[in-house]
Amino acid sequence: MDRRDFVKLGLAAGAATSGNRVLAATGNSAAKQLGTGGILDAGVWEQQQMMEAGKLTSHALTSQYLARIKTIDKSGPRLNAIIEINPEALKIALDMDRERKLKRVRGPLHGIPVLLKDNIATADRMSTTAGSLALAGVRAARDAHVTAQLRAAGAVIIGKTNLSEWANMRSTHSVSGWSGRGGLTLNPYSLDRNCSGSSSGSGAAIAAGLATLAVGTETDGSIVSPASICGLVGIKPTLGLVSRSGIIPIAHSQDTAGPMARSVADAALMLSAMTGIDPKDPITQESAGKVGDYRAALDKGGLKGMRIGVARNFFGQHAERDAVIEKALVDLKAQGAVLVDTEVPNVGKYSETETEVLLYEFKADLAAYLKEYAPNAPVSNMADVIAFNQQHRQQELPYFGQEYLEQAQAKGDLDTPAYKDALANNRRYARAEGIDQVMKEHKLDALVAPTDGPAWLTDFINGDHFTGGFSSPAAVAGYPHITVPAGYVHGLPVGLSFVGTAYSEASLIRMAYSYEQATLHRRAPLFPPSVSLAVR
């Protein structure tokens, strides 16, 4: 990567982090006390510039993040976003510093600290558990493909993040952000509120400045919902753009990993590093020739002339949230977008069959993962996990049950006609007669709607209180989805979603970046114990 690339990237990322520097500089005592702002809340480009200039090393940066994790995550507000620290993190950072001295910079992620969700396999001294005590201490046989891609790009994997256990596919009355192994992750914008899930720890960690970047995973909403609720940018890629191999699964027809970051520029950089053809995941072959360097999409004028459909059937469930998004629509128009009121058709026709598909695939895919990546684990299939939880009820089942695990165990194999019919139904109504239909009919470049939120009070008695999100159409279709901070409701972040057709990531990034740079809504959290209703 030459100097011109750094300058070009700097124009993209610099403005996205300026709001946080202003917050730190204007004297908020809580922010100063907890250390928000500065290099730990900066973006990739700023950190790289300092390392290039010899004013910062990867070892020093990693050390500062590890110290901040002790201050913010393990004491102080005690966010509990990090489930495990990589004991080799500082050694890896030193290795990246040595390579830099030898002029062997691998790319923009060289020496950058990254967190992985704890369902992504790492062949190192860390466990890979999906938050379950059934896999505590179990080390993966090899890296997930996405882990290997990030290592090759020079990223310093500093730890694993907590998550909703089994990626929130355990109970019909679950509490997002809780796992038997990791406990509950708290929302840095209001400690009594939920981070959403299942990438709860990744969302809370990056919002709080515990690393530069994090990887989340999504089956339906598990990247974009916590990103929205934690005031971040989240990208759920097209199915097959990022390999699924080595990720503890729910369902291969919808699972994907994706970046979670404090700016669109950082998320785009990370997505570029994560993509790649994987022989162990044949669907990635479909991305050949469709992947680019997403830095090229960082265009401040990217909304000009874009036809954007406003998915009105995803409004109306939270008035204050909708008011934030209505203001965002005004901002989109001010940047030259042409807005068309519309609806995503047929969303009710796969609401039940989606769950059916997930249950069938969860049973089959989990057994396949355990056989390949955790052959020495004490559990080898869904039945074993259910039995383990029953034997360890006090630790694993204190707040809610395992209904989804039991329902999955009752399903047949993937040759069952009911499964095949449900999958065909999902693809028909989410793709051809869903997103594709509305975009073709109105000649659209993207769809927008509220992502989710604002965050609800964590409630171990009644479970989660979702207020209606926009994740399912893109999740079921396997299409890309980006969320960007759009504003706040009583100090709680709200995100704006951009959704497109398959492999339209570059176009969506262009629009999301243009919106982000025109508005710069994100501000760092201050870790209040609860929401102040006086704050609008």
Side-chain angles (χ1 to χ4, degrees), residues 5-334:
D5 288 323
F6 277 111
V7 171
K8 181 179 179 183
L9 183 56
L11 294 174
T17 58
S18 62
N20 299 321
R21 296 197 302 272
V22 170
L23 174 66
T26 52
N28 186 293
S29 59
K32 287 182 175 179
Q33 181 182 359
L34 294 172
T36 53
I39 196 62
L40 299 188
D41 204 34
V44 171
W45 179 80
E46 289 176 316
Q47 293 175 352
Q48 287 286 10
Q49 284 286 79
M50 291 190 69
M51 286 191 279
E52 281 287 292
K55 298 178 180 178
L56 179 71
T57 63
S58 177
H59 184 272
L61 181 60
T62 302
S63 296
Q64 289 183 58
Y65 276 127
L66 292 176
R68 184 162 168 79
I69 288 169
K70 289 182 180 179
T71 302
I72 303 298
D73 199 61
K74 304 307 178 188
S75 59
R78 298 184 65 90
L79 293 179
N80 203 35
I82 310 301
I83 203 168
E84 186 171 1
I85 293 293
N86 185 358
E88 299 172 324
L90 292 175
K91 177 184 179 299
I92 297 169
L94 280 174
D95 290 342
M96 293 304 104
D97 288 334
R98 292 190 188 100
E99 289 188 13
R100 188 181 296 275
K101 287 182 179 179
L102 295 172
K103 307 299 181 184
R104 297 176 183 170
V105 177
R106 303 185 188 190
L109 295 191
H110 189 101
I112 298 296
V114 172
L115 288 163
L116 301 183
K117 186 176 177 181
D118 186 37
N119 60 350
I120 300 172
T122 55
D124 52 22
R125 292 163 61 188
M126 292 189 289
S127 303
T128 303
T129 72
S132 173
L133 291 171
L135 294 178
V138 176
R139 297 177 182 174
R142 64 172 182 276
D143 278 345
H145 185 265
V146 68
T147 304
Q149 290 290 97
L150 290 169
R151 292 195 202 276
V156 178
I157 297 172
I158 67 169
K160 299 280 189 77
T161 58
N162 195 24
L163 69 161
S164 310
E165 187 174 314
W166 296 115
N168 235 357
M169 195 65 181
R170 204 194 84 176
S171 173
T172 55
H173 295 86
S174 65
V175 172
S176 291
W178 184 90
S179 70
R181 180 180 178 221
L184 178 68
T185 295
L186 307 184
N187 188 320
Y189 288 90
S190 181
L191 299 177
D192 58 352
R193 289 182 181 264
N194 205 270
C195 292
S196 189
S198 62
S199 304
S200 318
S202 295
I206 299 308
L210 305 185
T212 313
L213 302 165
V215 180
T217 67
E218 175 162 331
T219 306
D220 188 338
S222 289
I223 290 173
V224 295
S225 181
S228 170
I229 282 174
C230 291
L232 300 177
V233 175
I235 302 180
K236 196 286 289 187
T238 302
L239 190 71
L241 190 69
V242 174
S243 172
R244 301 162 296 183
S245 65
I247 298 174
I248 297 178
I250 291 178
H252 61 267
S253 64
Q254 293 183 206
D255 287 351
T256 183
M260 299 175 74
R262 291 183 288 270
S263 71
V264 175
D266 283 0
L269 277 175
M270 193 177 199
L271 182 61
S272 295
M274 293 169 67
T275 61
I277 306 300
D278 177 11
K280 291 187 174 294
D281 188 359
I283 196 174
T284 59
Q285 296 288 344
E286 297 176 14
S287 70
K290 301 170 184 173
V291 179
D293 185 341
Y294 295 111
R295 288 175 296 175
L298 300 175
D299 177 5
K300 287 186 178 181
L303 281 165
K304 189 174 182 180
M306 294 293 101
R307 287 180 59 83
I308 296 177
V310 181
R312 288 292 177 186
N313 51 330
F314 288 89
F315 288 67
Q317 296 177 352
H318 193 287
E320 290 179 289
R321 177 200 69 177
D322 289 356
V324 170
I325 302 304
E326 292 293 347
K327 175 59 170 63
L329 299 180
V330 173
D331 293 331
L332 293 175
K333 290 179 69 174

Side-chain angles (χ1 to χ4, degrees), residues 383-396:
D384 289 348
V385 172
I386 293 169
F388 178 93
N389 290 342
Q390 290 170 340
Q391 292 163 10
H392 300 83
R393 294 188 64 85
Q394 187 173 357
Q395 297 83 15
E396 280 288 355

